[in-house]
Amino acid sequence: MMQAALNLVVEPHSMPRTELGRIDVEGAAVSFKGPKGKRIEALAPTDLVIEPGSFVSLIGPSGCGKSTLLNAVGGFVPLSEGTIRLDGEPVTGINPDVGVVFQQYALFPWFTALGNVMFALKRFRLSKEERRDRAMAALKEVGLEGREANYPGQLSGGMRQRVALARTFVTSPKVLLMDEPFGALDAQTRVVMHEILLRVWEAHKATVIFVTHDVDEALILSDRAHIMSAGPGRIIETMEITDDRPRRAHQVTESFLRNRNHIIGLLRQPGADDH
Amino acid sequence: MDSHLKKYGQLIISLSGVVAVWWLVSGLGLVNQNLFPTPPQVLAAAVELYRDGVLISDLQISLKRAAIGFTIGATLGVLVGLLTARVFAVSLLLEPFLTLLRPIPAIALVPIAIVWFGIGEGSKYFVIAYTVFLAVWLNTHAGASSVASTYIRAARSLGANRFREFFEVVVPAAAPHIVVGLRLGAALAFLSLVAAELSGASSGIGFRLQDARQFIQTDRMFVGLIQLGILGALLDSVFVLISRRLVHWESA
Ligand SMILES: Nc1ncnc2c1ncn2[C@@H]1O[C@H](COP(=O)(O)OP(=O)(O)OP(=O)(O)O)[C@@H](O)[C@H]1O
Ligand SMILES: [Mg+2]
């Protein structure tokens, strides 16, 4: 049933483009104005290269600056030092080529599921029918056929995040930023969401940066995991995850276990979780 | 269906209780009946006013004043509220001034309104519109300035320009507050209507109350008060009904 609904529709405009979506983070740091005008460093100077079309995870203790780094890539917060480049161009502000799936559901509750997805298509010169057709196809892609007329308030948490995913992927962004998108979901729903996300990602081949607290989630999804230290965060280790997909938390391989133990060990280091 | 029955049942019980107590207190001669008329006396006064033709015409005139004043005030309140909340220059210019206006009650404006607009309809519209404007502006401003930043970020990262961001995100996000402001404004329209009609009017429910005072016709005053109560309550229910449709996602 689920499988049938997940038949992927690859639109011509969303041809795999592995050469686009490279991110270069060069000495990027972010600080915020704290109380009494003091500057609080949320992200220590960070260097990072993210290959086009790859799926990377950011893991680290709470408050270490994962969201801040993600927001900096998205152009939501300005850097205090360094630069971030997207395909060579410095990020200076919000860019529709960078899709975002927020931690809190940022669906517009006043639009239906279809309306939310169509919102993303309005910046293109498409006829209303075409916009509708593409939005319907995107909803079908995430298994929400027949739910297009529902408002977000009438959908479950997992369904809402699927609409958010469809809304972001429908325009085939070069980069997709996801900040703990499944953090509020139960374990079972999360497994389904992982499958959907990987299918959609494989069809559209965007570069994905995925923030999570959950080590297993990072190991199941990503090509690479960047582990951050406690705030002000910086990347303390990068781990290649080479296991073949699909990976399953209940059928762990030896390398999966080794990686998991290693990451948990890093996060347990003194100073890594003193928040 | 069941909850409707319950609601109406409650209404009937509550109203009959009040009328019973009223009847008892006024009918037993505990108080002077000229000052506190019995329900039958008030009913008779209402019938008399109806026969004279003023019951309906007062109602119509008052409703029309309230509606026109409300429309002017609400339209300006929504527009100015959206601007003061989202356009920095406008808020810089207008906010301090509007903050000064806020504590001035409608009734204090009646004398100046009469000087400016005469005792015709203009002064009534002005006083009502002023009161409605302040309530609607305040709520619209609060709603439009507290739009969740994730909505704005989502809209921008989905490629919406400022125009679409405003009309497809800010306005609907502020809509629940705006609707609250409009409902409050509708109630206040009636309060200021009476203030406006108490002086310098020759028709309307407020005028009829004032007119009755000169002849100490408390039964007629009761008719006016009951009219205001029923009208206000009906209007409020209509508002609740409409707003539930308008911002349907709020309750979901
Ligand atoms: N807008 C802001 N103003 C001031 N300080 C901020 C702001 N945003 C984040 N910070 C601070 O920056 C630091 C990093 O925050 P960030 O949200 O990036 O952490 P995080 O790793 O995403 O944490 P979590 O896992 O809990 O989501 C924290 O100390 C936080 O208090
Ligand atoms: Mg975070």
Side-chain angles (χ1 to χ4, degrees):
Chain A
M1 178 72 202
M2 182 97 250
Q3 293 296 94
L6 287 177
N7 264 335
L8 292 177
V9 182
V10 184
E11 295 277 326
H13 69 283
S14 58
M15 291 301 286
R17 38 180 187 194
T18 35
E19 72 286 1
L20 284 180
R22 178 189 167 95
I23 298 162
D24 293 281
V25 179
E26 297 160 355
V30 175
S31 55
F32 291 106
K33 215 179 272 163
K36 297 177 205 146
K38 260 195 192 163
R39 300 214 53 94
I40 297 173
E41 191 165 48
L43 181 69
T46 298
D47 290 296
L48 183 64
V49 175
I50 299 176
E51 299 295 337
S54 66
F55 196 127
V56 304
S57 292
L58 295 177
I59 318 179
S62 186
C64 74
K66 303 181 294 291
S67 298
T68 303
L69 176 55
L70 207 72
N71 287 334
V73 175
F76 297 125
V77 296
L79 298 177
S80 50
E81 280 173 53
T83 33
I84 296 179
R85 292 173 193 282
L86 170 58
D87 293 325
E89 290 291 314
V91 171
T92 51
I94 297 175
N95 176 355
D97 279 338
V98 178
V100 187
V101 175
F102 294 88
Q103 187 167 12
Q104 318 90 313
Y105 311 126
L107 292 183
F108 303 123
W110 46 87
F111 290 139
T112 60
L114 184 67
N116 268 281
V117 180
M118 283 172 71
F119 185 95
L121 291 169
K122 278 204 191 143
R123 70 190 166 97
F124 302 107
R125 297 197 172 279
L126 298 173
S127 70
K128 182 135 192 188
E129 288 71 50
E130 175 129 35
R131 232 186 305 151
R132 208 190 127 82
D133 290 347
R134 291 202 185 189
M136 290 293 268
L139 284 171
K140 190 176 169 192
E141 211 177 324
V142 295
L144 284 181
E145 219 174 0
R147 290 296 196 154
E148 61 274 1
N150 285 146
Y151 286 91
Q154 301 166 323
L155 298 171
S156 72
M159 289 177 185
R160 284 184 217 175
Q161 283 308 61
R162 281 193 258 168
V163 177
L165 202 59
R167 183 174 75 170
T168 310
F169 263 118
V170 73
T171 60
S172 293
K174 291 193 244 177
V175 177
L176 178 58
L177 308 177
M178 304 184 83
D179 192 348
E180 299 189 46
F182 309 141
L185 304 178
D186 62 85
Q188 253 175 312
T189 312
R190 223 187 251 218
V191 172
V192 177
M193 294 304 295
H194 291 162
E195 283 171 18
I196 294 171
L197 173 59
L198 286 177
R199 277 161 186 274
V200 175
W201 169 65
E202 269 155 20
H204 293 259
K205 275 298 169 212
T207 308
V208 176
I209 310 182
F210 190 99
V211 168
T212 179
H213 271 117
D214 183 339
V215 177
D216 282 358
E217 188 169 51
L219 292 174
I220 286 169
L221 294 174
S222 44
D223 298 319
R224 240 178 215 192
H226 298 285
I227 296 104
M228 294 177 72
S229 68
R234 51 192 186 80
I235 289 165
I236 49 172
E237 189 160 323
T238 293
M239 176 181 281
E240 304 283 338
I241 303 156
T242 50
D243 295 3
D244 289 334
R245 293 189 180 89
R247 307 167 188 152
R248 295 196 162 84
H250 61 272
Q251 296 172 342
V252 285
T253 60
E254 212 168 299
S255 60
F256 189 101
L257 263 183
R258 220 180 314 115
N259 288 338
R260 179 202 272 163
N261 289 341
H262 184 69
I263 294 175
I264 291 173
L266 281 172
L267 295 175
R268 283 264 167 77
Q269 269 173 12
D273 54 1
D274 57 6
H275 273 253
Chain B
M1 195 63 222
D2 216 32
S3 72
H4 273 275
L5 269 177
K6 220 168 130 187
K7 216 170 100 189
Y8 289 122
Q10 198 188 357
L11 184 71
I12 289 167
I13 292 171
S14 154
L15 283 183
S16 0
V18 168
V19 172
V21 171
W22 169 18
W23 207 328
L24 215 65
V25 171
S26 55
L28 284 177
L30 297 174
V31 288
N32 184 343
Q33 284 195 358
N34 287 329
L35 300 182
F36 198 71
T38 61
Q41 285 171 328
V42 172
L43 194 66
V47 170
E48 193 187 322
L49 284 168
Y50 177 75
R51 291 227 174 99
D52 293 348
V54 291
L55 190 80
I56 300 297
S57 73
D58 279 346
L59 203 67
Q60 282 172 339
I61 280 190
S62 287
L63 258 179
K64 185 181 159 212
R65 284 174 184 152
I68 292 178
F70 175 83
T71 306
I72 299 171
T75 309
L76 284 175
V78 170
L79 291 178
V80 176
L82 288 172
L83 288 176
T84 52
R86 305 305 301 188
V87 183
F88 184 65
V90 177
S91 89
L92 212 66
L93 277 171
L94 278 185
E95 246 188 277
F97 173 63
L98 291 173
T99 310
L100 281 179
L101 277 189
R102 267 179 61 197
I104 304 177
I107 199 159
L109 282 184
V110 172
I112 194 78
I114 290 174
V115 172
W116 284 350
F117 300 99
I119 57 168
E121 296 303 289
S123 59
K124 277 107 198 149
Y125 299 156
F126 174 78
V127 171
I128 297 167
Y130 164 84
T131 318
V132 174
F133 167 78
L134 281 184
V136 174
W137 166 71
L138 195 69
N139 280 279
T140 304
H141 180 89
S145 50
S146 64
V147 177
S149 63
T150 36
Y151 288 151
I152 302 289
R153 282 181 177 186
R156 290 188 186 165
S157 82
L158 293 168
N161 54 27
R162 295 304 292 258
F163 182 83
R164 285 185 52 215
E165 178 188 315
F166 187 79
F167 285 102
E168 293 177 37
V169 179
V170 172
V171 172
H177 282 84
I178 297 176
V179 163
V180 168
L182 291 176
R183 186 179 169 194
L184 186 64
L188 290 175
F190 271 83
L191 294 185
S192 50
L193 167 79
V194 176
E197 284 181 347
L198 280 178
S199 52
S202 54
S203 60
I205 301 174
F207 162 75
R208 204 61 57 197
L209 281 167
Q210 184 70 359
D211 190 51
R213 189 188 67 97
Q214 300 192 353
F215 306 98
I216 326 182
Q217 294 167 311
T218 50
D219 48 358
R220 286 193 168 204
M221 292 185 192
F222 268 61
V223 174
L225 294 175
I226 292 170
Q227 258 180 301
L228 283 174
I230 293 175
L231 214 60
L234 277 180
L235 209 77
D236 195 59
S237 328
V238 171
F239 248 93
V240 170
L241 222 77
I242 295 175
S243 63
R244 241 185 241 149
R245 301 249 158 121
L246 221 60
V247 291
H248 57 86
W249 64 89
E250 268 295 285
S251 49

